[in-house]
């Protein structure tokens, strides 16, 4: 995977689940970010936001997460939203795309959130987030060194983003309690086929780092994919060093149809 620098782009919006739902409903395939931003302003989609803020939400939050591949992800998610996929599944897919677009958030979840959770901690603190950021600064993960004020703000954004996606509970203090966060079967079915359609080998699907966003290691993923097999979505065969999957759905479109019927 190519090195992806940490940016301050999270300050444009954290999870923003309601706003993303609104934007997906307004967006149409082929619509460029600039056109979408104009539509947002014209229709007053975010009535409490200034025109500048509305455009910023589109260009800095929505576009990097959902339009970077020409709109394929947005098109898929729009289909699921239109077909009334449960919000907790949609939220997990938004979480996945946010983490893919914002490497700092992905690494924070994988390297900080889950290790603390697995160690039996009851909460995550802003100090944990600050420590993560300063370690990243020392390791050259940012293009240029952030000021202390910027580092402090981004630490708060990381915590807020975890809260928006259901990983952390609300709390007014510096500590936010952990919430139970488990991947939904629908999310697993989507991610499995997304990775396969992107060209990953069968073993590559099982070992992909995206699963770690949900606290899963390869052996956990194998069990999960076997359960998808039991539900009739695919056929998996495994040996000591081999994974072979027979794919029932040949395209993401077929997978989306199956998801919509669940």
């Amino acid at each position: 995977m190519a090195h992806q620098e940490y940016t301050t782009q999270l300050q444009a919006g954290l999870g923003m689940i309601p706003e993303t739902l609104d934007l997906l409903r307004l967006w149409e395939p082929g619509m460029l970010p600039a056109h979408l931003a104009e539509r947002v302003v014209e229709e007053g989609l975010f009535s409490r936001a200034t025109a500048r803020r509305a455009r910023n939400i589109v260009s800095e939050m929505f576009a990097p997460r959902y339009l970077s591949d020409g709109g394929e992800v947005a098109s898929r998610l729009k289909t699921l939203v239109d077909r009334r996929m449960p919000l907790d599944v949609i939220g997990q897919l938004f979480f996945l795309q946010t983490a893919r677009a914002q490497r700092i958030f992905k690494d924070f979840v994988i390297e900080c959130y889950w290790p603390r959770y697995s160690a039996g901690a009851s909460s995550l603190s802003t100090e944990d987030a600050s420590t993560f950021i300063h370690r990243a600064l020392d390791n050259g993960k940012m293009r240029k060194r952030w000021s202390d004020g910027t580092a402090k703000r981004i630490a708060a954004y990381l915590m807020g983003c975890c809260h928006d996606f259901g990983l952390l509970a609300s709390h007014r203090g510096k500590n936010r309690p952990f919430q139970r966060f488990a991947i939904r079967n629908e999310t697993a079915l989507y991610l499995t086929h997304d990775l396969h359609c992107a060209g990953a080998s069968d073993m590559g699907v099982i070992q992909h780092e995206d699963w770690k966003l949900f606290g899963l290691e390869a052996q956990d993923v194998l069990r999960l994919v076997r359960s998808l097999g039991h539900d009739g979505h695919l056929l998996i065969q495994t040996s000591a060093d081999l994974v072979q999957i027979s794919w029932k759905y040949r395209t993401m479109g077929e997978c989306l149809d199956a998801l919509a019927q669940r």
Side-chain angles (χ1 to χ4, degrees), residues 99-115:
R100 285 174 167 178
Q102 304 298 334
R103 186 75 207 192
I104 187 172
F105 180 55
K106 187 173 197 174
D107 287 352
F108 178 67
V109 172
I110 293 174
E111 299 173 12
C112 188
Y113 176 91
W114 284 113

Side-chain angles (χ1 to χ4, degrees), residues 11-128:
Q11 65 191 357
L14 305 182
M16 302 200 80
I17 292 174
E19 293 86 350
T20 302
L21 288 168
D22 287 340
L23 287 168
L24 284 172
R25 294 184 181 108
L26 185 62
W27 178 83
E28 297 292 341
M31 187 181 291
L32 297 176
H35 185 195
L36 176 61
E38 290 306 314
R39 285 281 303 277
V40 167
V41 173
E42 289 170 3
E43 300 194 13
L45 188 63
F46 306 130
S47 58
R48 296 184 179 181
T50 64
R52 180 178 179 181
R53 171 61 179 153
R55 291 189 178 95
N56 192 53
I57 288 172
V58 173
S59 63
E60 296 293 315
M61 184 280 288
F62 188 79
R65 300 180 192 183
Y66 307 105
L67 300 179
S68 63
D69 60 352
E72 176 63 27
V73 167
S75 183
R76 295 176 187 174
L77 295 178
K78 182 180 179 70
T79 295
L80 294 178
V81 169
D82 290 345
R83 296 189 183 185
R84 302 186 183 281
M85 179 63 56
L87 185 58
D88 53 353
V89 177
I90 292 293
Q92 288 194 351
L93 298 179
F94 289 176
F95 164 69
L96 171 66
Q97 288 304 132
T98 299
R100 285 174 167 178
Q102 304 298 334
R103 186 75 207 192
I104 187 172
F105 180 55
K106 187 173 197 174
D107 287 352
F108 178 67
V109 172
I110 293 174
E111 299 173 12
C112 188
Y113 176 91
W114 284 113
R116 289 277 295 162
Y117 182 94
S118 300
S122 61
S123 63
L124 198 65
S125 70
T126 52
E127 284 80 4
D128 294 323

